[in-house]
Amino acid sequence: MIIRTAQEQDVPGFLGLAAQVEHWFGPMVADPGFTRAVRRSIGAGTALVASEPGEPGEPGEPGEPGESEESSSGLLGAVLFGAAPPVHHVHWLVVADGARGRGVGSALLSDAFRRWVRGPATVEVVTFGADHPGAVAGGARVFYERLGFTPAEPAPPGPEGGSRQVYRRHVP
């Protein structure tokens, strides 16, 4: 797996990943504000993508259309990171459906921390509330807890109306 800084040609890949999780996060693909946020993060150099070595967008195994572990763009995952010391923000982190559980999300955040986080600092992310269906099915809360984040205060509901919660990780 390769983690690299996202480029303008990755925007369709971000939209492909977003399409896989709209049922949890609400509409993103048709939202011009989401595309602007992706492009702004790419322009600032604070967007990272994960892909397999080789050509992006390569199809899955022959004879298995649609079975690729990647999104249609070849991306395994992506993150939009807010690098504003001393409090940093994971604005958006998504791993392709078929690539979950393979360390893609951990690798993206590890790379983001290496690039931008210098202690003492705090990294915050807003994720699903405990009662949100995505909290269990998507594994987001457990994922962040395994990376040293701890639950904090509730956050405003997501665009689909589901509960949200802030998670924090302190970096010495």
Side-chain angles (χ1 to χ4, degrees):
M1 171 179 18
I2 296 171
I3 307 295
R4 62 175 173 77
T5 305
Q7 301 169 7
E8 181 65 24
Q9 63 261 29
D10 294 315
V11 170
F14 276 87
L15 297 177
L17 290 167
Q20 293 182 26
V21 295
E22 284 188 318
H23 59 288
W24 289 330
F25 291 102
M28 291 178 281
V29 175
D31 180 358
F34 177 74
T35 303
R36 278 193 303 275
V38 169
R39 286 196 162 107
R40 187 171 43 250
S41 193
I42 289 172
T46 57
L48 301 175
V49 295
S51 63
E52 294 288 2
E55 293 295 316
E58 289 179 348
E61 294 297 316
E64 297 179 1
E67 292 296 319
S68 174
E69 293 179 343
E70 304 170 358
S71 69
S72 60
S73 66
L75 296 184
L76 297 172
V79 64
L80 303 179
F81 198 81
V87 180
H88 304 274
H89 294 92
V90 179
H91 293 299
W92 191 75
L93 172 67
V94 173
V95 174
D97 286 340
R100 292 192 185 126
R102 293 181 32 205
V104 175
S106 297
L108 283 162
L109 285 185
S110 176
D111 199 286
F113 274 58
R114 181 186 59 77
R115 290 172 189 250
W116 299 303
V117 179
R118 301 290 176 268
T122 301
V123 180
E124 296 182 343
V125 62
V126 175
T127 191
F128 302 120
D131 63 339
H132 192 288
V136 176
R141 293 172 65 92
V142 170
F143 167 77
Y144 287 115
E145 289 169 6
R146 285 183 182 156
L147 294 178
F149 287 80
T150 56
E153 69 274 5
E160 84 301 348
S163 66
R164 297 290 191 271
Q165 185 169 11
V166 175
Y167 267 56
R168 272 191 197 95
R169 178 174 164 186
H170 296 286
V171 178

